[in-house]
């Protein structure tokens, strides 16, 4: 898929997500099977940027396991909790982010390969982080204080620059992730970057960022929930450290 085709696909996916239409009508199942390395980063990043959601994480995990699409596998969550992503419109209970159709389950599936899901969630977190950065950037450019735009204040510039660097680093890690260890590190990096974005962008937006009328709080809640799915950034960082200590070597993630 060349650059022009990717741009057309991104535009079609964005319109589908914003309109609330079914991704299956766009050919999502076929694209996942035929072009996973292209469509998964594109779709999940757009889910973050648009603040929408779809039960596509289920499909990514099921496809990685070689199982039929359409099911609801149990999803490990931070703290030993297991959730399922509801597909059928039945009741769910996601108190931190009521917009996500997640509910607790007692089911478990130790054989479910998580690497593909962690990479997908990493791209979703990356898109969410960029959405928060865009909101903060627009605010500091438009608002003035003491006769100067907020963007001229060095403290705010440093916060937004740190956010941008964290997001760029997470994207590089996601792009390089090709195995289980890479997926663990990429999900951890993306989670940390999204939480960094939430912290710094909240400071840049000030009081308005706490209001229900502003979009920031929706992205902050989304980042907190997605960070916990399939292992939080803290848990995955600890797991990567245990792996490195056990193997007494550092795996090569990128050939330079």
């Amino acid at each position: 898929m060349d650059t022009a085709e990717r741009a057309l696909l991104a535009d079609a996916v964005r319109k589908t997500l914003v309109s609330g239409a079914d991704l299956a009508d766009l050919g999502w199942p076929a694209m996942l099977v035929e072009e996973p390395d292209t469509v998964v980063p594109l779709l999940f990043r757009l889910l973050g940027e648009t603040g929408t959601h779809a039960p596509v994480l289920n499909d990514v995990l099921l496809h990685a396991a070689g199982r039929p699409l359409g099911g609801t596998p149990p999803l490990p969550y931070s703290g030993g909790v297991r959730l399922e992503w509801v597909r059928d419109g039945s009741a769910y209970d996601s108190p931190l982010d009521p917009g996500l159709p997640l509910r607790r389950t007692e089911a478990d599936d130790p054989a479910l390969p998580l690497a593909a899901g962690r990479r997908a969630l990493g791209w979703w977190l990356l898109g969410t982080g960029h959405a928060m950065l865009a909101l903060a950037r627009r605010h500091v450019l438009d608002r003035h204080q003491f006769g100067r735009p907020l963007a001229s204040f060095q403290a705010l510039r440093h916060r937004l620059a740190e956010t941008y660097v964290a997001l760029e680093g997470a994207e590089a890690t996601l792009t390089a992730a090709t195995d289980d260890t890479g997926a663990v590190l990429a999900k951890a990096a993306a989670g940390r970057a999204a939480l960094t974005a939430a912290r710094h962008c909240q400071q840049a937006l000030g009081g308005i960022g706490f209001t229900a009328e502003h979009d920031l709080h929706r992205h902050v809640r989304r980042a907190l929930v997605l960070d916990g799915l399939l292992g939080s950034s803290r848990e995955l960082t600890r797991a990567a450290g245990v792996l490195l200590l056990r193997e007494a070597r550092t795996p090569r993630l990128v050939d330079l």
Side-chain angles (χ1 to χ4, degrees), residues 14 49 130-144 149-151 160 201 204-205 208 214-216 219:
R14 184 184 294 274
E49 291 179 358
H130 276 290
M132 290 187 279
L133 181 59
L135 289 172
R137 179 181 180 275
R138 188 178 310 122
H139 178 78
V140 300
L141 287 173
D142 292 345
R143 293 292 298 271
H144 287 67
L150 292 179
L160 299 188
C201 294
L205 282 157
I208 195 172
H214 200 276
D215 287 335
L216 181 71
H219 293 292

Side-chain angles (χ1 to χ4, degrees), residues 57-70:
L57 179 62
N58 291 336
D59 294 330
V60 169
L61 290 167
L62 292 170
H63 175 63
R67 303 176 190 174
L69 306 186

Side-chain angles (χ1 to χ4, degrees), residues 136 139-140 156 159 197-207 210 216:
H139 178 78
V140 300
L156 288 177
R159 285 185 179 274
R199 185 172 66 255
H200 288 332
C201 294
Q202 178 65 76
Q203 289 293 321
L205 282 157
F210 288 99
L216 181 71

Side-chain angles (χ1 to χ4, degrees), residues 242-254:
V242 170
L243 177 65
L244 295 176
L245 287 173
R246 185 173 67 241
E247 298 190 359
R249 66 183 184 89
T250 304
R252 183 185 296 274
L253 299 180
V254 180

Side-chain angles (χ1 to χ4, degrees), residues 20-248:
D22 192 343
L23 284 167
D25 296 336
L26 196 62
W28 156 249
M31 288 189 291
L32 175 61
V33 172
E34 297 169 8
E35 295 257 11
D37 293 339
T38 297
V39 73
V40 169
L42 185 151
L43 170 59
F44 279 82
R45 180 165 178 163
L46 284 173
L47 284 170
E49 291 179 358
T50 59
T52 56
H53 67 82
V56 286
L57 179 62
N58 291 336
D59 294 330
V60 169
L61 290 167
L62 292 170
H63 175 63
R67 303 176 190 174
L69 306 186
T72 55
L75 308 173
Y77 194 78
S78 178
V81 176
R82 291 184 296 278
L83 305 175
E84 63 179 5
W85 200 293
V86 179
R87 289 182 182 268
D88 58 8
S90 57
Y92 57 87
D93 50 0
S94 181
L96 186 58
D97 188 348
L100 291 181
L102 296 169
R103 67 184 174 199
R104 290 198 178 207
T105 179
E106 297 302 319
D108 195 10
D109 189 354
L112 191 68
L114 301 181
R118 284 170 173 158
R119 286 193 295 269
L121 284 171
W123 288 107
W124 196 339
L125 284 159
L126 184 71
T128 301
H130 276 290
M132 290 187 279
L133 181 59
L135 289 172
R137 179 181 180 275
R138 188 178 310 122
H139 178 78
V140 300
L141 287 173
D142 292 345
R143 293 292 298 271
H144 287 67
Q145 191 174 71
F146 306 117
R148 298 163 54 191
L150 292 179
S152 66
F153 293 98
Q154 194 173 48
L156 288 177
R157 293 163 70 97
H158 284 174
R159 285 185 179 274
L160 299 188
E162 184 178 336
T163 299
Y164 180 77
V165 169
L167 292 171
E168 287 292 295
E171 182 172 357
T173 310
L174 283 163
T175 302
T178 57
D179 58 11
D180 289 355
T181 302
V184 166
L185 295 173
K187 170 68 164 51
R192 286 197 304 271
L195 296 178
T196 295
R199 185 172 66 255
H200 288 332
C201 294
Q202 178 65 76
Q203 289 293 321
L205 282 157
I208 195 172
F210 288 99
T211 63
E213 290 77 12
H214 200 276
D215 287 335
L216 181 71
H217 70 96
R218 298 182 180 88
H219 293 292
V220 171
R221 290 205 306 265
R222 188 63 45 87
L224 291 169
V225 173
L226 295 179
D227 179 60
L229 269 177
L230 308 190
S232 69
S233 53
R234 179 175 296 181
E235 291 170 333
L236 293 178
T237 301
R238 187 181 300 116
V242 170
L243 177 65
L244 295 176
L245 287 173
R246 185 173 67 241
E247 298 190 359

